[in-house]
Amino acid sequence: MVGSRTATALVGLLASLFVTAALWWYFDSLFVFLFLPFVPFLFRGLGGESEREVRECPQCGFQTEAAEFDYCPRDGTRLERRR
């Protein structure tokens, strides 16, 4: 049985190959292969996520954007929002 990450990767790969072949057929040029790797950079700012919250340890200066951290891994101090 295939895991969900593997299935998602396979679907993404197949969709990518389909889009690449369709663009190559439509434009009849290999320019598509030069342009296609840069497409993710075009949509970088369109994600649904808002600005991430940066939290910092007041004791040692450790900073993180990860929501998993409530306390500093270095000294155990509760992290505070950075202003």
Side-chain angles (χ1 to χ4, degrees), residues 6-82:
T6 305
T8 302
L10 289 174
V11 168
L13 177 65
L14 292 175
S16 174
L17 290 174
F18 176 77
V19 169
T20 301
L23 290 173
W24 185 16
W25 175 78
Y26 182 77
F27 291 113
D28 196 28
S29 172
L30 290 177
F31 177 72
V32 171
F33 293 108
L34 297 175
F35 175 72
L36 202 58
F38 299 104
V39 170
F41 293 112
L42 298 175
F43 300 107
R44 178 177 278 179
L46 298 179
E49 295 182 28
S50 60
E51 251 184 62
R52 290 190 169 187
E53 177 182 75
V54 177
R55 292 178 291 153
E56 182 176 5
C57 175
Q59 299 294 321
C60 69
F62 170 80
Q63 294 180 354
T64 185
E65 293 180 352
E68 298 88 35
F69 289 98
D70 289 327
Y71 296 92
C72 178
R74 296 179 184 159
D75 58 21
T77 306
R78 185 161 184 89
L79 300 177
E80 299 176 350
R81 287 187 206 163
R82 190 176 71 174

